[in-house]
Amino acid sequence: MYMVYDIGGTFVKYAFVSQTGDVKTSGKFETPYVDALTLIDKMVTVAKDFSDLKGVAISCPGTIDVDSGIIYHGGALTYLHEVNMKEHVSKALHVPVSIENDAKCAALAELWQGSVKDHLNSVVLVIGTGVGGGVIINGSLYRGAHLEAGEASYVMDHYDVETKKATFVGETCSASLTVKAIADVIGLEPQDGEGVFRYLNEGNLEALTIFDRFCHHLAAQIINLQYVLDPEIFAIGGGISVQPLFLDRLRKAIDEILTRNPHHVAKPKLTTCHYRSQSNIYGALYQHLLEYQ
């Protein structure tokens, strides 16, 4: 059995999981914002309550060197920068430990048992606060020379040659920023995603105008990626992907771009990710199995 952690900005979710992905028990605790050792001590304490522990798999924000176990940047958890969590946890529990970036774990989950498992070349995009994900080439996750492959948030959406300023995909294709913008316009609470989609599904013009702008920004980047990587399929994840309207409007945006720009020959194929809130758990486990079996 394996202990798997999904470190998030609000909670650390954990699951005691079999080799085949059967979850025996799960839980969560609030993410501490004190320091790295406080977080690691809490993870170790949780794991010690379980017997027959064969290994620990971790999904974590930041740029992750999976070989050394060193975390760079750490997303919202800035105290994780240059921390070797793999080494700390392994020494405390005396079992093999693996660690991988959270968005790449989502991609690994889809590769292992999800929506791209039957494809050699694919791209998984996780649409949330920003845009993360993973690039699958010849059936394996491609991390890149500097561990940055799949970090779509840093791709420039527009560059002004006069001001030398750019807008980035992490902003223009942010689901959370889009929900907030729509909520502001129609008078809802900033995080009321259900309310926003109620208005969208009812055909509210103001809401759809903002939402379609977001879909077109994302559609343009998907078309760009189709030319650069030429994947068989794109799997779209994140909380917004559970809304049928999202994929419908995204496909419509792609079709409109291709129609208005007839020189295009790319025809991206889209699907939704199979895994939802548990994707990081399954992907982290798969990374562990790849490393140690």
Side-chain angles (χ1 to χ4, degrees):
M1 296 292 292
Y2 302 88
M3 179 59 68
V4 186
Y5 294 97
D6 176 17
I7 301 171
T10 305
F11 293 103
V12 177
K13 295 187 289 187
Y14 60 87
F16 196 49
V17 189
S18 72
Q19 182 174 328
T20 57
D22 181 25
V23 177
K24 298 299 183 183
T25 188
S26 62
K28 65 181 180 180
F29 58 86
E30 288 189 9
T31 304
Y33 273 81
V34 182
D35 53 37
L37 289 180
T38 301
L39 171 60
I40 291 167
D41 286 347
K42 180 62 176 176
M43 293 166 63
V44 168
T45 299
V46 169
K48 283 182 176 179
D49 286 340
F50 295 87
S51 59
D52 191 31
L53 184 64
K54 293 182 179 179
V56 173
I58 303 168
S59 164
C60 183
T63 301
I64 313 294
D65 186 329
V66 296
D67 295 322
S68 69
I70 297 174
I71 303 164
Y72 297 98
H73 312 304
L77 303 179
T78 54
Y79 61 65
L80 288 177
H81 182 55
E82 295 187 343
V83 170
N84 193 325
M85 184 175 284
K86 183 176 183 176
E87 184 177 88
H88 280 292
V89 175
S90 182
K91 283 184 177 179
L93 294 174
H94 309 291
V95 295
V97 176
S98 63
I99 184 167
E100 178 58 283
N101 166 267
D102 47 9
K104 288 182 172 59
C105 282
L108 284 165
E110 297 305 314
L111 175 62
W112 184 27
Q113 298 183 30
S115 58
V116 303
K117 65 178 182 179
D118 296 323
H119 300 277
L120 279 177
N121 301 291
S122 59
V123 173
V124 178
L125 295 176
V126 181
I127 316 299
T129 303
V131 182
V135 178
I136 309 298
I137 297 177
N138 292 328
S140 298
L141 179 68
Y142 176 69
R143 295 184 176 86
H146 304 95
L147 307 174
E148 295 169 359
E151 295 294 338
S153 281
Y154 300 104
V155 172
M156 289 181 286
D157 185 76
H158 173 76
Y159 177 73
D160 189 318
V161 296
E162 300 299 329
T163 65
K164 310 299 186 290
K165 295 287 188 178
T167 57
F168 292 86
V169 167
E171 302 165 358
T172 58
C173 299
S174 167
S176 59
L177 289 179
T178 300
V179 167
K180 182 180 184 301
I182 296 173
D184 287 346
V185 166
I186 57 183
L188 298 174
E189 291 297 317
Q191 304 303 321
D192 188 1
E194 289 186 7
V196 163
F197 272 93
R198 184 171 63 251
Y199 275 83
L200 288 168
N201 285 310
E202 289 172 355
N204 181 275
L205 186 58
E206 287 183 299
L208 283 171
T209 298
I210 296 170
F211 191 71
D212 283 340
R213 187 181 303 123
F214 154 73
C215 288
H216 273 81
H217 279 293
L218 182 56
Q221 296 305 323
I222 287 173
I223 293 169
N224 286 341
L225 287 170
Q226 185 69 52
Y227 285 114
V228 174
L229 299 169
D230 196 23
E232 300 162 59
I233 195 167
F234 289 85
I236 312 296
I240 196 172
S241 67
V242 304
Q243 299 287 343
L245 178 77
F246 170 53
L247 207 63
D248 289 344
R249 304 299 283 201
L250 182 57
R251 287 190 174 116
K252 181 182 177 183
I254 290 174
D255 289 342
E256 288 178 349
I257 292 172
L258 297 181
T259 299
R260 295 290 293 272
N261 298 274
H263 62 279
H264 275 309
V265 296
K267 295 192 181 300
K269 181 179 179 182
L270 307 184
T271 189
T272 53
C273 287
H274 174 73
Y275 291 103
R276 306 297 187 190
S277 60
Q278 295 298 306
S279 63
N280 293 355
I281 294 288
Y282 286 105
L285 174 61
Y286 185 45
Q287 173 60 32
H288 189 88
L289 298 176
L290 290 173
E291 283 191 41
Y292 293 105
Q293 289 190 356

